[in-house]
Amino acid sequence: MNRPTEGETHAFERTFTTEDVRQFAELSRDTQDRHTELDAEGRLLVHGLLTATLPTKIGGDLEVLASSMDFRFRRPVYTGERITCTWTYEDVLEREDRYELAIDVACENEAGETVLTAAVEGLIWKER
């Protein structure tokens, strides 16, 4: 594990598929038509919480244990859209056994429009 530093960024990109959304609808039991029936353009609306798996993927890769996640869903996301999620360490406080973190998250579609923002707090345990 590398020491997290203020201003450090990490990014992850993903394009959600119709199958992704249908599986999430089944798992979450949120089976509204907008998530299960194709629109006039052949797309499904991606669940907000499915979009929110982008920052959780980054956090998992970085071994962050989140204590709070405040999501703001800014624009709809549809299947077939490439979404880029950027994670930035805003504050890093070093303790004896851990790093306490404040993280800023922004996810954008291919047009550069913000679709999701989040403020995350958590920690990374130091190696023992």
Side-chain angles (χ1 to χ4, degrees):
M1 186 259 327
N2 294 326
R3 182 197 187 287
T5 58
E6 291 178 7
E8 178 183 341
T9 63
H10 298 270
F12 178 69
E13 293 182 350
R14 182 171 181 183
T15 303
F16 293 101
T17 66
T18 299
E19 184 61 23
D20 292 333
V21 174
R22 289 195 170 135
Q23 287 179 356
F24 192 83
E26 184 177 327
L27 179 66
S28 67
R29 299 189 181 182
D30 179 356
T31 57
Q32 297 176 62
D33 289 347
R34 67 189 76 188
H35 300 306
T36 59
E37 301 295 326
L38 299 175
D39 69 7
E41 296 178 42
R43 310 170 303 173
L44 294 177
L45 179 67
V46 177
H47 297 76
L49 289 178
L50 180 53
T51 304
T53 64
L54 298 175
T56 64
K57 191 275 189 219
I58 296 171
D61 288 349
L62 298 172
E63 299 183 17
V64 173
L65 179 59
S67 57
S68 71
M69 303 176 95
D70 181 16
F71 293 109
R72 299 283 186 243
F73 303 99
R74 307 294 183 175
R75 298 183 63 81
V77 172
Y78 292 94
T79 53
E81 286 185 296
R82 181 166 249 356
I83 306 299
T84 301
C85 182
T86 304
W87 164 294
T88 304
Y89 290 120
E90 293 294 316
D91 282 320
V92 177
L93 181 61
E94 186 170 4
R95 302 289 190 196
E96 185 177 325
D97 60 346
R98 67 191 177 280
Y99 298 100
E100 295 177 357
L101 311 167
I103 300 143
D104 179 67
V105 172
C107 298
E108 295 182 346
N109 62 21
E110 294 169 284
E113 300 166 319
T114 301
V115 298
L116 178 147
T117 58
V120 178
E121 293 182 0
L123 62 86
I124 298 175
W125 292 109
K126 290 182 175 180
E127 304 275 339
R128 295 179 201 242

